Structure formats: structure tokens, C-alpha cells
């Protein structure tokens, strides 16, 4: 293990020893959420004060370049992953998009089986990883099936998987309020809500707060920003870095004012068109700000991907990024769902 962070002193105990069929304890906190969910929020706040951040990847164990869950051995103990193929480690955080859940209890709008997402979310939690879910809701009518899915994220020992839940591309106060009320009405106790507008011009606190639904609803403040530079366009890469820096400076100030952890909820450079993007563009900006996590988007195809895979030209630089003291992957975290005490 290259580096190690114990977020809390005690080791995570998810379930009893094999063969014990008794349910594990999954108590509620005073907030009405499970204690593990509340502990996760507390530990994300601690990360912002520690000069380190969790690295995440969307759909990391569902598919990658040249493989998918349908083409690999589904009975294997270890999940497949482009990142693991390079670093022999998983991202600390794994994201899944469940858009379309209001129309189908079987699959997402993109055709991904919800049972498979559930399986991978539980697998990540059971190996000390974090889970974030995102979706686009057409209206508040989608809240009830969403709540059913969130309540189904439960280990065989009866422990609900805490998740970071984010609406993509929608920042209506009314929708956020309906979402929060719907989750409460449907007894969802394992979700933290992430507000992360995706607006390139979002560099002022006033602009960020225009559709902010309130501290009583939102748990984590974030941004979503992509590098869209054509190959060889170093100026646009530099412009992305400058804008990311400005947005995170603004976000850090708001996070401090509102006592919220902050995060880069979505980012990446499609195709990773420069060899040293990880250590020379992304890392220098991220390490200047009190982040809890950063999530890179998915590896959908050889034409659209956001992290390297075996043989990619930026692999060596990504390994250097992986080895930086500030970046935390799965092997670097311990007890994210435990109380600090």
C-alpha cells in the first residue's frame, strides 16, 4: 500500500463474521438519517481540512474500454476496472447515473440494469468505497421510484448503503424541495444531497446561490466543469484550469460560510489529449482547495473516455497522479462510515 489515511481511528465493521445470519446494527442518528450516513458527512467535512481528496470515477466497475459487465466473469471476486488495470487499486468513490428510474424499475434510460447498479453499489460499500448517484428528474413525480431504489440499497446484513445523491443539469429550488420532501415521506435515511451546478460562467457567489435550495436541504456544495479543448490547444486547457481555480475559490468561500464540504462533482477531459494532463493541469488546481472529492466521468467507448486505460498515452502520468500524497484511492481510506469518536 503506497499511502494510508485512517479517516477515523476504528476499523470499519460492515457485518458480522461469515455464517452469522443476524442483522447488523444500522441505527438512526438524531438527524433522521442512518448513523453511517451522518458519519460519512462528518468525515467528508474532515477531508476538506486535511489537504487530501477522494478520487472518483463514474461507472468504474460497470464498463470500460474493450469490456463491460456483460463480457467479463461476473462471478469473479474482484470487479473489473480500467483504473485497477493501471494502478491495482479502485477509485475511492464510484458514481452511477440512474436517470429514467421514474419510467422503469428494471433499467436506466441508458439501458443499464438497475440490479447491476445495486450490486456494484453494495460491493463498493462493502469494500470501504463511497457511492454517488446522479439523475435527471423530469418532475417531482420521479421521487417515489427513486426512493424505492435508495431503500433497496441494503447489504445482506440489513445495512443501508449511504449515497451522495445529485440532480444533473437541474437546479430549480422547487424541484430540490420536492425531492427532499419526497425522500423524507418515503423514509429514505441513507442519502446526502449534493448541489453542483454545471455553468461555465459560474464564478460569483451570488450566481451560485440563485437556485440554492437551502442549508436544510443540501449537504454538499459542488461544481461540474469539463475541459473541452481540442487536441493541441494548450490555451483552452489553460483556460479550463483557470476557470476551475476561480470556481473552486468561490466554492471554498461558500463552503466555509455554510459549513458544507465542497466537491468537484463532475469533471474530465474527453480523450485526455495531453500526456501530462493529470499532474500538470488537474492536480495543481485541486490541491489548492479544501476538497472532499473529485469525480471523473465514464469510459464509455474508445471515442469517449475520461480516465486512461492500459496502453493509453497518459497512463504513466496518471500513475504519478495516483501516487501524489493528496489523491486518495480505495486502499488509502479506512472507516469512512464510522464516527471519529
Amino acid at each position: 500500500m503506497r499511502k494510508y489515511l485512517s479517516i477515523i481511528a476504528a476499523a470499519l465493521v460492515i457485518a458480522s463474521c461469515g455464517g452469522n445470519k443476524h442483522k447488523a446494527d444500522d441505527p438512526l442518528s438524531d438527524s433522521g438519517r442512518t448513523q453511517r450516513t451522518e458519519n460519512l458527512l462528518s468525515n467528508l467535512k474532515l477531508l476538506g481540512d486535511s489537504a487530501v481528496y477522494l478520487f472518483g470515477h463514474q461507472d468504474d466497475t460497470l464498463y470500460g474500454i474493450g469490456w463491460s459487465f456483460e463480457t467479463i466473469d461476473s462471478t469473479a471476486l474482484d470487479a473489473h476496472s480500467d483504473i485497477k488495470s493501471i494502478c491495482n487499486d479502485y477509485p475511492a468513490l464510484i458514481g452511477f447515473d440512474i436517470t429514467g428510474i421514474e419510467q422503469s424499475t428494471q433499467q436506466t434510460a441508458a439501458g443499464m440494469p438497475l440490479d447491476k447498479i445495486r450490486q456494484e453499489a453494495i460491493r463498493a460499500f462493502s469494500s470501504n468505497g463511497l457511492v454517488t448517484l446522479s439523475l435527471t428528474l423530469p418532475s417531482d413525480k420521479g421521487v417515489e421510484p427513486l426512493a424505492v431504489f435508495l431503500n433497496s440499497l441494503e447489504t445482506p446484513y440489513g445495512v443501508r448503503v449511504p449515497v451522495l445523491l445529485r440532480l444533473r443539469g437541474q437546479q430549480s429550488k422547487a424541484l430540490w424541495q420536492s425531492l427532499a420532501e419526497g425522500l423524507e415521506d418515503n423514509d429514505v435515511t441513507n442519502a446526502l444531497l449534493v448541489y453542483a451546478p454545471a455553468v461555465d460562467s459560474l464564478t460569483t457567489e451570488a450566481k451560485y446561490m440563485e437556485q440554492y435550495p437551502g442549508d436544510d436541504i443540501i449537504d454538499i456544495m459542488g461544481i461540474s466543469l469539463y475541459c473541452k479543448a481540442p487536441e493541441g490547444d494548450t490555451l483552452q486547457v489553460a483556460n479550463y484550469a483557470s476557470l476551475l481555480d476561480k470556481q473552486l475559490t468561490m466554492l471554498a468561500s461558500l463552503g466555509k460560510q455554510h459549513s458544507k464540504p465542497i466537491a468537484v462533482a463532475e469533471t474530465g477531459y474527453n480523450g485526455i489529449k495531453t500526456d501530462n494532463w493529470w499532474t500538470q493541469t488537474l492536480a495543481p488546481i485541486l490541491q489548492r482547495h479544501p476538497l472532499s472529492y473529485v469525480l471523473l466521468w465514464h469510459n464509455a467507448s474508445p471515442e469517449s473516455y475520461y480516465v486512461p486505460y492500459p496502453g493509453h498515452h497518459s497512463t504513466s502520468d496518471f500513475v504519478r497522479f495516483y501516487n501524489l500524497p493528496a489523491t486518495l484511492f480505495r486502499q488509502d481510506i479506512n472507516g469512512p462510515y464510522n464516527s471519529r469518536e
Side-chain angles (χ1 to χ4, degrees), residues 2-3 52-55 321-329 332:
R2 65 194 174 99
K3 51 187 177 174
V52 293
Y53 54 86
L54 303 167
F55 180 86
F321 175 81
Y322 169 82
N323 282 310
L324 292 174
T327 59
L328 301 179
F329 286 68
D332 301 316

Side-chain angles (χ1 to χ4, degrees), residues 69-218:
F69 70 93
E70 296 170 316
T71 62
I72 60 173
D73 180 5
S74 61
T75 64
L77 181 62
D78 293 330
H80 204 73
S81 158
D82 282 347
I83 287 178
K84 187 174 189 295
S85 295
I86 293 172
C87 304
N88 196 33
D89 198 356
Y90 294 102
L93 173 72
I94 184 168
F96 304 102
D97 191 82
I98 54 173
T99 295
I101 196 168
E102 75 284 354
Q103 297 180 355
S104 172
T105 60
Q106 303 300 315
Q107 63 182 21
T108 67
M112 184 61 61
L114 287 168
D115 280 347
K116 184 61 179 176
I117 292 177
R118 182 183 297 106
Q119 173 187 327
E120 292 303 318
I122 294 172
R123 187 209 294 260
F125 168 75
S126 299
S127 61
N128 231 20
L130 280 67
V131 176
T132 179
L133 298 176
S134 58
L135 76 161
T136 301
L137 275 179
S139 69
D140 58 5
K141 294 180 180 178
V143 176
E144 186 170 347
L146 168 63
V148 171
F149 181 76
L150 292 173
N151 286 333
S152 76
L153 297 176
E154 186 175 284
T155 72
Y157 293 91
V159 175
R160 287 190 182 181
V161 176
V163 299
L164 312 177
L165 181 65
R166 176 172 61 94
L167 296 182
R168 295 190 72 207
Q170 298 173 348
Q171 304 302 329
S172 160
K173 286 184 180 180
L175 185 58
W176 273 110
Q177 290 164 352
S178 294
L179 173 64
E181 291 170 3
L183 296 181
E184 183 177 1
D185 290 344
N186 285 278
D187 298 320
V188 174
T189 59
N190 57 328
L192 300 173
L193 299 187
V194 183
Y195 176 80
V199 182
D200 288 2
S201 61
L202 199 70
T203 56
T204 68
E205 295 183 9
K207 183 70 174 177
Y208 185 91
M209 297 298 291
E210 281 182 355
Q211 292 298 323
Y212 184 71
D215 288 346
D216 57 331
I217 292 176
I218 298 301

Side-chain angles (χ1 to χ4, degrees), residues 221 250-262:
M221 289 177 151
M250 173 269 298
L251 191 62
S253 174
L254 284 173
K256 185 174 182 180
Q257 293 173 42
H258 294 263
S259 300
K260 305 291 184 184
I262 66 172

Side-chain angles (χ1 to χ4, degrees), residues 276-291:
N276 59 3
W277 188 78
W278 300 101
T279 61
Q280 300 303 309
T281 299
L282 187 63
I285 302 301
L286 298 183
Q287 67 189 23
R288 289 207 287 267
H289 301 282
L291 290 174

Side-chain angles (χ1 to χ4, degrees), residues 322-340:
Y322 169 82
N323 282 310
L324 292 174
T327 59
L328 301 179
F329 286 68
R330 188 80 57 85
Q331 293 181 21
D332 301 316
I333 59 176
N334 182 49
Y337 304 103
N338 278 13
S339 168
R340 182 185 175 95

